[in-house]
Amino acid sequence: MDMGTKMVIMGLLLAASSSSVFTREWRATVVRELNALVSSCVVIPCSFTHPEGNFPTSKIRAIWHISKDINQRIYHEDDSLVLESFKGRTELLGHLGQGNCNLRISEIKDHDNGPFCFRVELTPTAASTLEKFSFVEDCCDLKMLPDPPKPTLTHSKVAIEGVPFSVTCTVLHTCPYQAPKLTWSRGTADSITEVNREIHAGNWEVQSVLTFIPKEKDDHSDVTCTSTFNGGKTSSAAMTLFVKRKENYNHIIIPTAAVAATVVIFTVFCLLIVKKYKNRILELQNQEGSMWNRLSRLSRRVRQ
């Protein structure tokens, strides 16, 4: 076997060995940073894989701790091992057997900034050389928000009297299981549609669409959307409604019709007057003819 062939074989063996080591590593995906509204809640998205294959949830233990100190636990199935300031405020969501390690933190305090790291442990029945692993390189920092974000209002067209008009209210949040509630200053439940969707990992938005038919009295009135967050904090946004009158030609048709009617009436009146005077002239002419005839007959008699 020549030297070139030996080098190729050694390269292949090295690649296979590296691949084996690579596939036996624990892996986790944790959102690095999230906004968190004080007094509300936050859900930290987390997923993980392990090299031993899938295990039942009952054989996997999940732990969340602060930074690299595994003794600073903010979540553990044994609540007595959790830091006093986090007791009763953390909850694991999803199924560990499916690699889901999402964590919810409720009643956010202004000191809950993290970073929070995930740790997984396998029970002794599934023990192996990789039975415990902390993902200290993939932790989540929380950016504390003392005040709630304001909603934004958008509309796609001009409000026209008598034509359906829609306004959309949108607000961002990180608490999908207790999303903010959006309310309007007008409208009924039948005229409002709402959707809560994830725009990217850990960040959500609630959208509420109000549809109504503007009236003339609505011109220059305000439409307000208020968002009430988990924990009771609120924020609002308002827009002034400018209602455009629906196109009509009454301002042209009515005066034109009035003028035309006046002309017709005046014309008819004039025709009646002319006719009356024509008849009178004919009567006078007839009377003059009769008088002339009488005088002519009288003149002939006198001559005779």
Side-chain angles (χ1 to χ4, degrees):
M1 183 181 295
D2 59 14
M3 184 60 67
T5 304
K6 289 182 179 180
M7 293 294 293
V8 171
I9 293 175
M10 289 180 63
L12 292 173
L13 291 174
L14 181 61
S17 176
S18 300
S19 176
S20 175
V21 172
F22 182 80
T23 57
R24 292 181 60 81
E25 290 182 353
W26 290 88
R27 293 188 178 279
T29 302
V30 180
V31 172
R32 295 300 183 92
E33 184 178 270
L34 284 175
N35 291 330
L37 174 63
V38 174
S39 78
S40 184
C41 80
V42 65
V43 174
I44 302 175
C46 169
S47 61
F48 71 98
T49 58
H50 47 79
E52 300 293 332
N54 293 328
F55 292 99
T57 299
S58 60
K59 296 185 182 297
I60 305 173
R61 176 181 297 159
I63 300 170
W64 282 85
H65 55 86
I66 298 177
S67 190
K68 296 182 179 182
D69 188 351
I70 62 174
N71 294 316
Q72 297 281 322
R73 305 178 189 90
I74 66 168
Y75 171 80
H76 194 285
E77 60 184 24
D78 183 355
D79 195 55
S80 64
L81 299 178
V82 175
L83 292 173
E84 191 65 32
S85 61
F86 284 92
K87 284 185 177 180
R89 295 200 294 122
T90 56
E91 178 185 3
L92 200 66
L93 306 175
H95 299 283
L96 291 171
Q98 298 175 356
N100 189 327
C101 47
N102 293 350
L103 179 73
R104 175 166 61 185
I105 306 176
S106 302
E107 300 175 17
I108 292 293
K109 312 297 182 184
D110 59 4
H111 54 74
D112 295 342
N113 57 310
F116 301 119
C117 307
F118 174 65
R119 176 178 175 83
V120 63
E121 298 179 355
L122 302 180
T123 59
T125 57
S128 69
T129 57
L130 297 175
E131 64 177 7
K132 299 178 181 180
F133 198 87
S134 288
F135 301 95
V136 293
E137 303 301 326
D138 296 279
C139 302
C140 180
D141 287 291
L142 298 183
K143 180 181 179 182
M144 314 313 294
L145 301 179
D147 300 311
K150 287 185 175 294
T152 57
L153 295 178
T154 56
H155 55 91
S156 57
K157 58 182 180 179
V158 177
I160 301 176
E161 180 185 0
V163 178
F165 179 74
S166 295
V167 184
T168 300
C169 179
T170 305
V171 69
L172 302 177
H173 67 98
T174 54
C175 186
Y177 295 92
Q178 294 171 300
K181 183 175 178 58
L182 299 180
T183 55
W184 294 89
S185 59
R186 61 174 299 159
T188 61
D190 295 336
S191 62
I192 298 172
T193 57
E194 189 170 295
V195 62
N196 183 34
R197 65 189 184 94
E198 188 174 23
I199 51 178
H200 51 86
N203 293 272
W204 296 69
E205 69 174 14
V206 179
Q207 276 194 347
S208 180
V209 181
L210 170 67
T211 302
F212 62 98
I213 298 178
K215 299 179 180 178
E216 183 180 353
K217 65 179 182 180
D218 295 324
D219 191 29
H220 287 81
S221 64
D222 287 338
V223 178
T224 304
C225 175
T226 301
S227 56
T228 303
F229 292 79
N230 173 253
K233 291 189 176 183
T234 63
S235 61
S236 60
M239 63 169 285
T240 301
L241 194 64
F242 298 98
V243 180
K244 184 179 180 180
R245 284 193 171 186
K246 194 172 183 180
E247 292 290 342
N248 64 71
Y249 299 95
N250 289 340
H251 62 291
I252 298 176
I253 294 173
I254 293 176
T256 302
V259 171
T262 302
V263 171
V264 170
I265 292 172
F266 182 75
T267 302
V268 171
F269 179 76
C270 291
L271 290 174
L272 291 175
I273 294 297
V274 170
K275 184 176 180 181
K276 179 179 179 182
Y277 278 97
K278 280 185 176 180
N279 291 337
R280 183 58 178 165
I281 291 171
L282 289 175
E283 290 177 0
L284 291 175
Q285 288 177 345
N286 290 335
Q287 289 178 3
E288 289 178 356
S290 300
M291 181 63 70
W292 179 259
N293 291 336
R294 290 176 186 173
L295 291 174
S296 297
R297 288 196 297 270
L298 182 60
S299 175
R300 285 197 298 269
R301 289 177 184 175
V302 171
R303 286 196 219 96
Q304 290 176 358

